[in-house]
Amino acid sequence: MAGRVSRSSLPFFERSALRTIPSQNVFLSLRTKTAQPAHLQVLRHNSLSSQRSFSTTTLRARAHTMGQLKARNSTGPFSWKSALLFVITGGAMIIYFRVEKERLARKRVAEMSKGVGRPKVGGPFVLKDLNGNQYTEENLKGKYSFVYFGFTHCPDICPDELDKMAEIIDNVKEATKGENVFLPVFVTCDPVRDTPEVLRSYLQEFHKDIVGLTGTYEQVKHMCKQYRVYFSTPQNVNPGDDYLVDHSIYFYLMDPDGDFVECIGRQDTPESATRVIMEHINDWKREGKPLKKD
């Protein structure tokens, strides 16, 4: 019985011993920790403190960086200044290409008007100004000339068009800041009645800058033919005869080389005509070509 009890009790003691081994290990470890020298415990404490301080600094820096990222993400990849600069640059490029496209279109029309495949407008002529001096196509060169054909006895159309011409002169002068690059010219289709004295008095009523030209019937007829202008003035008339003259109602814009570039009709207002004229003047300047300003 005793042998049976001792044999049966052995596994229990073995199990109890096995269970007490971990407790003993823990106890030994605690004893070991407690048995550590004081200077090792201080070093261990300092090491932990340094790790904690390093970790805190990293978290604070990380938090600061996250704040910057949030602020950056709130405005997207571009700032409002970059967006504004992008919009302004894009708008400027659109305007530039549009202006350049219109300039090339005007240049193409002007080139087509120089007699390639169609009658040429303008050419050599000889007339006289109101001081009796000879005036030719060379006097028109160097500036943008604005040529109109009419007569002083015209009841309504010529006065209306000359009022428009006077307003255009002032508009162009203002747009060019006083530069003398625009030459308005009035050519009479009735040279018998429109003597230099009559023309001078008549044109002064509209604008002092208008240059009046006259000549013999043949000289006037030749210039009208050069400019493709129709007029119905009788050839052999006396100064006291009463008659009406039918004629083309256009302003002819000629460039500084003496080439025709644009026609201004009755449908044009002073504002629209000024805009067309200034477009051509600015195109000429943009190409770096000289303009006579005397």
Side-chain angles (χ1 to χ4, degrees), residues 180-199:
N180 189 19
V181 297
F182 186 64
L183 180 62
V185 177
F186 178 90
V187 181
T188 180
C189 296
D190 187 12
V192 174
R193 292 183 294 188
D194 291 344
T195 62
E197 293 75 17
V198 172
L199 264 181

Side-chain angles (χ1 to χ4, degrees), residues 15 18 23 34 43-44 49 68 93 96 101 115 123 130 132 140 142 153 156 162 177 190 216 230 234 240 246 281 285:
R15 287 195 299 269
L18 291 174
S23 300
T34 306
L43 290 174
R44 180 180 179 85
S49 299
Q68 290 180 342
M93 291 182 65
Y96 170 78
K101 181 180 179 181
L130 301 185
L140 300 181
H153 285 72
D156 49 13
L162 285 174
K177 296 179 174 56
D190 187 12
T216 66
Y230 165 77
D246 189 17
I281 292 176
K285 290 181 178 180

Side-chain angles (χ1 to χ4, degrees), residues 16-49:
S16 299
L18 291 174
R19 288 175 185 170
T20 58
I21 288 174
S23 300
Q24 292 174 357
N25 290 337
V26 171
F27 177 74
L28 289 174
S29 65
L30 289 174
R31 290 180 62 188
T32 303
K33 291 180 180 178
T34 306
Q36 286 180 349
H39 70 278
L40 292 178
Q41 292 183 9
V42 171
L43 290 174
R44 180 180 179 85
H45 176 73
N46 292 338
S47 176
L48 290 173
S49 299

Side-chain angles (χ1 to χ4, degrees), residues 74-86:
S74 64
T75 58
F78 298 104
S79 65
W80 66 270
K81 292 182 179 180
S82 300
L84 180 61
L85 180 62
F86 177 78

Side-chain angles (χ1 to χ4, degrees), residues 19 49 65 114 122 172 178 185 200 206 235 240 251 260 262:
R19 288 175 185 170
S49 299
T65 305
K114 294 182 180 180
V172 172
V185 177
R200 182 180 291 107
F206 299 97
Q235 183 173 1
F251 292 97
F260 168 78
E262 199 80 36

